[in-house]
Amino acid sequence: GAVVSQHPSRVICKSGTSVKIECRSLDFQATTMFWYRQFPKQSLMLMATSNEGSKATYEQGVEKDKFLINHASLTLSTLTVTSAHPEDSSFYICSAREPQGSRTEAFFGQGTRLTVV
Amino acid sequence: AQSVAQPEDQVNVAEGNPLTVKCTYSVSGNPYLFWYVQYPNRGLQFLLKYITGDNLVKGSYGFEAEFNKSQTSFHLKKPSALVSDSALYFCAVRSDTGGFKTIFGAGTRLFVKA
């Protein structure tokens, strides 16, 4: 299947700092990428839909000023957690879908474990 | 609105026995249905999907799932479980009319005992 790479896999940061997470589609172009958040022993919560060249679409209840999403190219979307707090500690996962073709499933990055201390 | 229900938080099965992980869905339009598996501290791996055609879908690692339109279900099955199948399984749905947004169930943890 298509490959989506997420970096870093783990990050620890201090409260008040910002953290950037990258999501790359390695062997296909992704006009749309998705960012999810997963709490321990819970499902994935869709945070936002990232569209190449335009503003991201955020789900209800997600602070757009706190979770900045940039999709500057067809292979890269970034999520920046600004002024991080301990409650932002979570597992963040991105996914991407090929814009055309027969594969309708999304492909996922390996996730980023964010710990804010 | 789209929704997915996985009624079991956990499923326990002995190695070699058949396994079933349940999933029901609600969607406007026709459903695209998916199963993913997640190992600890990892992203999701795609197992199989139903888009159209045969109701019985075969996927990776010997897994299969049966689409039942009248019961709005898409249960995941495997004839003979392996210890290595122990993981967290997610059912997901997307509508053929609702763009690319995919909704996930709460997940079912599968434990396979040797």
Side-chain angles (χ1 to χ4, degrees):
Chain A
V3 179
V4 176
S5 177
Q6 196 172 333
H7 178 81
S9 57
R10 287 180 178 273
V11 59
I12 300 173
C13 70
K14 292 184 177 180
S15 289
T17 62
S18 295
V19 173
K20 180 184 286 187
I21 303 170
E22 293 186 346
C23 180
R24 295 181 184 272
S25 56
L26 298 186
D27 53 359
F28 66 100
Q29 294 182 332
T31 54
T32 304
M33 291 185 175
F34 303 89
W35 287 96
Y36 292 85
R37 183 174 180 176
Q38 185 180 29
F39 292 98
K41 298 184 181 181
Q42 293 189 29
S43 186
L44 282 72
M45 181 191 78
L46 179 63
M47 298 175 66
T49 302
S50 170
N51 302 297
E52 188 268 334
S54 64
K55 291 183 178 180
T57 303
Y58 290 82
E59 295 299 303
Q60 191 173 7
V62 178
E63 298 176 62
K64 62 179 68 175
D65 294 331
K66 180 164 189 63
F67 298 100
L68 299 179
I69 291 173
N70 184 280
H71 195 155
S73 77
L74 287 171
T75 59
L76 173 64
S77 175
T78 60
L79 168 68
T80 301
V81 182
T82 63
S83 186
H85 291 284
E87 57 264 31
D88 298 326
S89 298
S90 191
F91 195 58
Y92 293 87
I93 307 176
C94 71
S95 75
R97 181 186 176 279
E98 294 174 298
Q100 295 177 350
S102 61
R103 293 194 289 196
T104 53
E105 66 272 25
F107 297 93
F108 286 80
Q110 60 268 51
T112 297
R113 171 75 59 195
L114 171 63
T115 303
V116 184
V117 297
Chain B
Q2 301 165 206
S3 66
V4 178
Q6 291 181 244
E8 304 153 314
D9 291 335
Q10 185 172 308
V11 170
N12 297 312
V13 65
E15 188 174 34
N17 283 0
L19 68 87
T20 299
V21 182
K22 296 179 180 178
C23 171
T24 59
Y25 67 91
S26 174
V27 67
S28 57
N30 293 313
Y32 292 168
L33 293 155
F34 309 89
W35 275 101
Y36 290 88
V37 60
Q38 184 181 35
Y39 295 97
N41 292 312
R42 297 288 192 91
L44 275 65
Q45 294 179 30
F46 170 73
L47 280 180
L48 52 78
K49 64 182 177 183
Y50 171 83
I51 304 300
T52 187
D54 289 342
N55 290 341
L56 184 63
V57 178
K58 294 188 183 296
S60 305
Y61 313 118
F63 284 94
E64 58 189 30
E66 186 165 11
F67 170 64
N68 187 315
K69 187 173 183 178
S70 63
Q71 297 184 3
T72 61
S73 67
F74 190 57
H75 301 331
L76 180 70
K77 300 182 179 184
K78 187 173 182 181
S80 179
L82 299 173
V83 172
S84 57
D85 293 330
S86 299
L88 186 58
Y89 290 81
F90 290 102
C91 180
V93 68
R94 178 161 71 83
S95 169
D96 68 341
T97 61
F100 302 139
K101 186 185 297 187
T102 302
I103 303 300
F104 287 80
T108 299
R109 190 162 298 278
L110 173 67
F111 286 102
V112 181
K113 294 168 59 175

